[in-house]
Amino acid sequence: TYNLGSKPGYAASLLKINGHVIESYSGYYDIKPILAEIQASDDKKIRVEVTFEVQDYNIIAKSGVKNVKDKDGNTAKTARYMDEITFEVEERDGYTIESVVVKGNTTNDILTKKDDKYSFKMPSEHVELVANYEYIAKTIEYQVEVDGVAVSDADACAGNCLGTRRGGVERQCA
């Protein structure tokens, strides 16, 4: 049983030995059935033909990723090894972009960013494009009234008010 290795981006699609097509089982080829014929033959030469095909790999854009394009500006759902792929990440109100990741089995540090576009060279595997967001905590400032006069939160406490009840909010500063 043999596995016909290939360069990244290619896969063996057909194997022939002495003109006989050898079936593939999950990328492996069993040559045992043809060996007896070769050994019985007067011609001990073995002719091996291998046909390789260029592979297309899937690009899955997860939530937040948009405008996935190839180098020609066409929408890209698949790409070939080393194709240049660009995409954008949606801005979300109340969130910052924490990270943008190209997920695959062997993808590490292949992503670059220029302006608002991300780009990478397609690895020889299927990938997912993922945008991770982080919530932006907001400080909410409000005003309270002390004896009918609007004051800031700090002013109210500096005056050592012991309790004001306006609009259902109770304050106790000491």
Side-chain angles (χ1 to χ4, degrees):
T1 304
Y2 291 92
N3 180 2
L4 298 175
S6 62
K7 289 185 176 185
Y10 294 87
S13 62
L14 179 67
L15 171 65
K16 287 184 180 180
I17 297 180
N18 289 355
H20 297 280
V21 174
I22 308 299
E23 296 295 323
S24 170
Y25 303 96
S26 299
Y28 290 89
Y29 295 85
D30 186 2
I31 63 170
K32 286 181 188 173
I34 196 76
L35 281 179
E37 182 181 319
I38 292 170
Q39 290 170 344
S41 171
D42 290 335
D43 183 9
K44 298 297 181 194
K45 293 180 184 175
I46 299 174
R47 288 173 305 287
V48 177
E49 297 174 55
V50 181
T51 303
F52 291 92
E53 290 181 350
V54 176
Q55 296 294 292
D56 288 325
Y57 300 99
N58 294 328
I59 301 170
I60 300 168
K62 295 291 191 171
S63 178
V65 174
K66 64 181 184 176
N67 298 328
V68 180
K69 306 281 183 182
D70 64 18
K71 67 179 167 106
D72 298 323
N74 300 315
T75 298
K77 292 188 185 266
T78 63
R80 293 184 173 172
Y81 176 64
M82 296 304 288
D83 281 356
E84 182 78 22
I85 303 298
T86 61
F87 64 95
E88 297 173 31
V89 174
E90 295 173 352
E91 296 289 330
R92 292 191 176 170
D93 191 35
Y95 293 85
T96 59
I97 299 169
E98 180 181 34
S99 63
V100 178
V101 182
V102 178
K103 286 185 172 181
N105 293 327
T106 61
T107 52
N108 290 321
D109 301 324
I110 64 171
L111 192 60
T112 59
K113 182 180 179 192
K114 184 177 181 185
D115 300 321
D116 289 335
K117 293 189 180 198
Y118 295 83
S119 64
F120 67 97
K121 296 233 184 245
M122 189 69 183
S124 58
E125 63 186 343
H126 305 295
V127 296
E128 287 184 356
L129 308 178
V130 180
N132 297 306
Y133 296 89
E134 184 176 347
Y135 179 73
I136 300 171
K138 295 182 181 179
T139 302
I140 300 172
E141 294 187 21
Y142 60 93
Q143 237 178 0
V144 295
E145 289 184 13
V146 176
D147 296 328
V149 177
V151 293
S152 71
D153 195 27
D155 290 340
C157 288
N160 293 320
C161 63
L162 294 175
T164 303
R165 190 167 188 78
R166 298 274 185 222
V169 177
E170 186 172 319
R171 300 186 30 79
Q172 288 189 342
C173 304

